[in-house]
mmCIF file of all heavy atoms in Angstrom:
data_model
loop_
_atom_site.group_PDB
_atom_site.id
_atom_site.type_symbol
_atom_site.label_atom_id
_atom_site.label_comp_id
_atom_site.label_asym_id
_atom_site.label_seq_id
_atom_site.Cartn_x
_atom_site.Cartn_y
_atom_site.Cartn_z
ATOM 1 N N THR L 274 67.317 177.941 2.829
ATOM 2 C CA THR L 274 68.728 177.835 3.194
ATOM 3 C C THR L 274 69.376 176.618 2.580
ATOM 4 O O THR L 274 70.604 176.529 2.487
ATOM 5 C CB THR L 274 68.890 177.777 4.737
ATOM 6 O OG1 THR L 274 68.043 176.760 5.252
ATOM 7 C CG2 THR L 274 68.496 179.117 5.357
ATOM 8 N N ARG L 275 68.571 175.646 2.207
ATOM 9 C CA ARG L 275 69.066 174.433 1.558
ATOM 10 C C ARG L 275 68.780 174.470 0.030
ATOM 11 O O ARG L 275 68.879 173.463 -0.633
ATOM 12 C CB ARG L 275 68.348 173.186 2.117
ATOM 13 C CG ARG L 275 68.803 172.751 3.497
ATOM 14 C CD ARG L 275 68.252 171.371 3.741
ATOM 15 N NE ARG L 275 68.700 170.838 5.026
ATOM 16 C CZ ARG L 275 67.889 170.713 6.105
ATOM 17 N NH1 ARG L 275 66.626 171.085 6.026
ATOM 18 N NH2 ARG L 275 68.358 170.214 7.216
ATOM 19 N N GLY L 276 68.381 175.637 -0.460
ATOM 20 C CA GLY L 276 67.880 175.694 -1.819
ATOM 21 C C GLY L 276 68.849 175.159 -2.842
ATOM 22 O O GLY L 276 68.467 174.368 -3.747
ATOM 23 N N ALA L 277 70.136 175.543 -2.751
ATOM 24 C CA ALA L 277 71.093 175.081 -3.745
ATOM 25 C C ALA L 277 71.258 173.584 -3.653
ATOM 26 O O ALA L 277 71.404 172.887 -4.671
ATOM 27 C CB ALA L 277 72.444 175.787 -3.504
ATOM 28 N N ASP L 278 71.255 173.032 -2.444
ATOM 29 C CA ASP L 278 71.452 171.592 -2.308
ATOM 30 C C ASP L 278 70.250 170.796 -2.830
ATOM 31 O O ASP L 278 70.421 169.776 -3.497
ATOM 32 C CB ASP L 278 71.691 171.262 -0.808
ATOM 33 C CG ASP L 278 72.837 172.043 -0.219
ATOM 34 O OD1 ASP L 278 73.867 172.115 -0.857
ATOM 35 O OD2 ASP L 278 72.680 172.602 0.850
ATOM 36 N N LEU L 279 69.036 171.284 -2.540
ATOM 37 C CA LEU L 279 67.851 170.631 -3.080
ATOM 38 C C LEU L 279 67.844 170.695 -4.580
ATOM 39 O O LEU L 279 67.491 169.712 -5.280
ATOM 40 C CB LEU L 279 66.584 171.304 -2.518
ATOM 41 C CG LEU L 279 66.294 171.113 -1.033
ATOM 42 C CD1 LEU L 279 65.153 172.001 -0.577
ATOM 43 C CD2 LEU L 279 66.014 169.652 -0.703
ATOM 44 N N LYS L 280 68.299 171.807 -5.119
ATOM 45 C CA LYS L 280 68.333 171.981 -6.573
ATOM 46 C C LYS L 280 69.375 171.051 -7.208
ATOM 47 O O LYS L 280 69.138 170.420 -8.219
ATOM 48 C CB LYS L 280 68.584 173.464 -6.954
ATOM 49 C CG LYS L 280 68.284 173.813 -8.361
ATOM 50 C CD LYS L 280 68.209 175.313 -8.528
ATOM 51 C CE LYS L 280 66.974 175.829 -7.911
ATOM 52 N NZ LYS L 280 65.740 175.358 -8.604
ATOM 53 N N VAL L 281 70.546 171.011 -6.590
ATOM 54 C CA VAL L 281 71.607 170.150 -7.096
ATOM 55 C C VAL L 281 71.189 168.698 -7.098
ATOM 56 O O VAL L 281 71.423 167.948 -8.061
ATOM 57 C CB VAL L 281 72.897 170.346 -6.297
ATOM 58 C CG1 VAL L 281 73.900 169.220 -6.578
ATOM 59 C CG2 VAL L 281 73.556 171.672 -6.609
ATOM 60 N N ARG L 282 70.507 168.289 -6.050
ATOM 61 C CA ARG L 282 70.036 166.891 -5.947
ATOM 62 C C ARG L 282 69.133 166.581 -7.117
ATOM 63 O O ARG L 282 69.284 165.561 -7.788
ATOM 64 C CB ARG L 282 69.308 166.710 -4.607
ATOM 65 C CG ARG L 282 68.740 165.300 -4.372
ATOM 66 C CD ARG L 282 67.326 165.157 -4.814
ATOM 67 N NE ARG L 282 66.506 166.231 -4.258
ATOM 68 C CZ ARG L 282 65.404 166.683 -4.795
ATOM 69 N NH1 ARG L 282 64.993 166.179 -5.942
ATOM 70 N NH2 ARG L 282 64.683 167.596 -4.245
ATOM 71 N N GLY L 283 68.133 167.429 -7.415
ATOM 72 C CA GLY L 283 67.252 167.173 -8.521
ATOM 73 C C GLY L 283 67.931 167.231 -9.879
ATOM 74 O O GLY L 283 67.668 166.437 -10.744
ATOM 75 N N VAL L 284 68.863 168.182 -10.018
ATOM 76 C CA VAL L 284 69.574 168.287 -11.283
ATOM 77 C C VAL L 284 70.453 167.092 -11.549
ATOM 78 O O VAL L 284 70.543 166.567 -12.699
ATOM 79 C CB VAL L 284 70.399 169.599 -11.339
ATOM 80 C CG1 VAL L 284 71.382 169.597 -12.511
ATOM 81 C CG2 VAL L 284 69.453 170.798 -11.430
ATOM 82 N N LEU L 285 71.175 166.603 -10.510
ATOM 83 C CA LEU L 285 72.021 165.443 -10.699
ATOM 84 C C LEU L 285 71.213 164.216 -11.066
ATOM 85 O O LEU L 285 71.616 163.425 -11.908
ATOM 86 C CB LEU L 285 72.807 165.189 -9.401
ATOM 87 C CG LEU L 285 73.921 166.159 -9.052
ATOM 88 C CD1 LEU L 285 74.616 165.732 -7.760
ATOM 89 C CD2 LEU L 285 74.951 166.306 -10.175
ATOM 90 N N ASP L 286 70.061 164.053 -10.419
ATOM 91 C CA ASP L 286 69.199 162.896 -10.779
ATOM 92 C C ASP L 286 68.749 163.008 -12.216
ATOM 93 O O ASP L 286 68.732 162.033 -12.977
ATOM 94 C CB ASP L 286 67.973 162.846 -9.844
ATOM 95 C CG ASP L 286 68.329 162.460 -8.435
ATOM 96 O OD1 ASP L 286 69.448 161.932 -8.231
ATOM 97 O OD2 ASP L 286 67.520 162.651 -7.517
ATOM 98 N N GLY L 287 68.359 164.228 -12.616
ATOM 99 C CA GLY L 287 67.903 164.426 -14.030
ATOM 100 C C GLY L 287 69.056 164.235 -15.003
ATOM 101 O O GLY L 287 68.858 163.637 -16.074
ATOM 102 N N LEU L 288 70.237 164.711 -14.675
ATOM 103 C CA LEU L 288 71.412 164.566 -15.541
ATOM 104 C C LEU L 288 71.768 163.079 -15.730
ATOM 105 O O LEU L 288 71.988 162.614 -16.842
ATOM 106 C CB LEU L 288 72.592 165.315 -14.952
ATOM 107 C CG LEU L 288 73.920 165.194 -15.703
ATOM 108 C CD1 LEU L 288 73.802 165.643 -17.138
ATOM 109 C CD2 LEU L 288 74.993 165.955 -14.949
ATOM 110 N N GLU L 289 71.757 162.344 -14.641
ATOM 111 C CA GLU L 289 72.093 160.927 -14.728
ATOM 112 C C GLU L 289 71.077 160.196 -15.604
ATOM 113 O O GLU L 289 71.482 159.413 -16.493
ATOM 114 C CB GLU L 289 72.087 160.314 -13.337
ATOM 115 C CG GLU L 289 72.390 158.809 -13.349
ATOM 116 C CD GLU L 289 72.399 158.210 -11.974
ATOM 117 O OE1 GLU L 289 71.887 158.855 -11.005
ATOM 118 O OE2 GLU L 289 72.870 157.041 -11.848
ATOM 119 N N GLN L 290 69.813 160.455 -15.364
ATOM 120 C CA GLN L 290 68.797 159.731 -16.187
ATOM 121 C C GLN L 290 68.884 160.124 -17.653
ATOM 122 O O GLN L 290 68.775 159.251 -18.534
ATOM 123 C CB GLN L 290 67.419 160.104 -15.612
ATOM 124 C CG GLN L 290 66.303 159.393 -16.384
ATOM 125 C CD GLN L 290 64.916 159.694 -15.788
ATOM 126 O OE1 GLN L 290 64.854 160.279 -14.720
ATOM 127 N NE2 GLN L 290 63.895 159.273 -16.494
ATOM 128 N N THR L 291 69.107 161.401 -17.927
ATOM 129 C CA THR L 291 69.161 161.853 -19.306
ATOM 130 C C THR L 291 70.271 161.201 -20.099
ATOM 131 O O THR L 291 70.060 160.756 -21.232
ATOM 132 C CB THR L 291 69.332 163.401 -19.326
ATOM 133 O OG1 THR L 291 68.186 164.028 -18.667
ATOM 134 C CG2 THR L 291 69.406 163.926 -20.764
ATOM 135 N N ILE L 292 71.468 161.159 -19.525
ATOM 136 C CA ILE L 292 72.587 160.580 -20.290
ATOM 137 C C ILE L 292 72.582 159.053 -20.280
ATOM 138 O O ILE L 292 73.122 158.438 -21.211
ATOM 139 C CB ILE L 292 73.950 161.132 -19.789
ATOM 140 C CG1 ILE L 292 74.197 160.717 -18.341
ATOM 141 C CG2 ILE L 292 74.031 162.617 -19.953
ATOM 142 C CD1 ILE L 292 75.564 161.231 -17.836
ATOM 143 N N ARG L 293 71.917 158.468 -19.322
ATOM 144 C CA ARG L 293 71.788 156.971 -19.365
ATOM 145 C C ARG L 293 70.788 156.577 -20.453
ATOM 146 O O ARG L 293 70.952 155.503 -21.064
ATOM 147 C CB ARG L 293 71.315 156.441 -18.030
ATOM 148 C CG ARG L 293 72.381 156.452 -16.925
ATOM 149 C CD ARG L 293 71.956 155.612 -15.752
ATOM 150 N NE ARG L 293 72.920 155.659 -14.658
ATOM 151 C CZ ARG L 293 74.057 154.957 -14.600
ATOM 152 N NH1 ARG L 293 74.340 154.128 -15.587
ATOM 153 N NH2 ARG L 293 74.890 155.060 -13.584
ATOM 154 N N GLU L 294 69.795 157.437 -20.724
ATOM 155 C CA GLU L 294 68.858 157.135 -21.779
ATOM 156 C C GLU L 294 69.447 157.349 -23.162
ATOM 157 O O GLU L 294 68.970 156.792 -24.140
ATOM 158 C CB GLU L 294 67.590 158.000 -21.588
ATOM 159 C CG GLU L 294 66.747 157.642 -20.375
ATOM 160 C CD GLU L 294 65.585 158.577 -20.187
ATOM 161 O OE1 GLU L 294 65.541 159.622 -20.884
ATOM 162 O OE2 GLU L 294 64.730 158.284 -19.331
ATOM 163 N N ASP L 295 70.485 158.188 -23.225
ATOM 164 C CA ASP L 295 71.106 158.466 -24.533
ATOM 165 C C ASP L 295 72.603 158.545 -24.347
ATOM 166 O O ASP L 295 73.220 159.595 -24.470
ATOM 167 C CB ASP L 295 70.584 159.807 -25.081
ATOM 168 C CG ASP L 295 71.088 160.083 -26.475
ATOM 169 O OD1 ASP L 295 71.620 159.182 -27.129
ATOM 170 O OD2 ASP L 295 70.942 161.235 -26.944
ATOM 171 N N PRO L 296 73.254 157.385 -24.032
ATOM 172 C CA PRO L 296 74.685 157.373 -23.754
ATOM 173 C C PRO L 296 75.493 157.713 -24.964
ATOM 174 O O PRO L 296 75.178 157.337 -26.098
ATOM 175 C CB PRO L 296 74.933 155.978 -23.255
ATOM 176 C CG PRO L 296 73.859 155.128 -23.883
ATOM 177 C CD PRO L 296 72.646 156.046 -23.941
ATOM 178 N N ARG L 297 76.584 158.437 -24.751
ATOM 179 C CA ARG L 297 77.562 158.805 -25.849
ATOM 180 C C ARG L 297 78.958 158.632 -25.282
ATOM 181 O O ARG L 297 79.170 158.428 -24.085
ATOM 182 C CB ARG L 297 77.337 160.268 -26.278
ATOM 183 C CG ARG L 297 75.957 160.612 -26.759
ATOM 184 C CD ARG L 297 75.690 160.071 -28.143
ATOM 185 N NE ARG L 297 74.332 160.399 -28.580
ATOM 186 C CZ ARG L 297 73.999 161.487 -29.189
ATOM 187 N NH1 ARG L 297 74.933 162.456 -29.449
ATOM 188 N NH2 ARG L 297 72.758 161.709 -29.573
#
């Protein structure tokens, strides 16, 4: 029932880290 929220949490963390490592 929290699947989308758990997924968004992980994706946001991954997105932040990815673009901080290669900022444009």
Side-chain angles (χ1 to χ4, degrees):
T274 53
R275 287 193 176 107
D278 305 314
L279 292 172
K280 195 165 288 294
V281 166
R282 180 268 306 155
V284 167
L285 290 181
D286 290 344
L288 176 58
E289 179 181 14
Q290 180 177 351
T291 299
I292 62 179
R293 286 193 184 281
E294 290 176 351
D295 186 13
R297 302 286 178 87

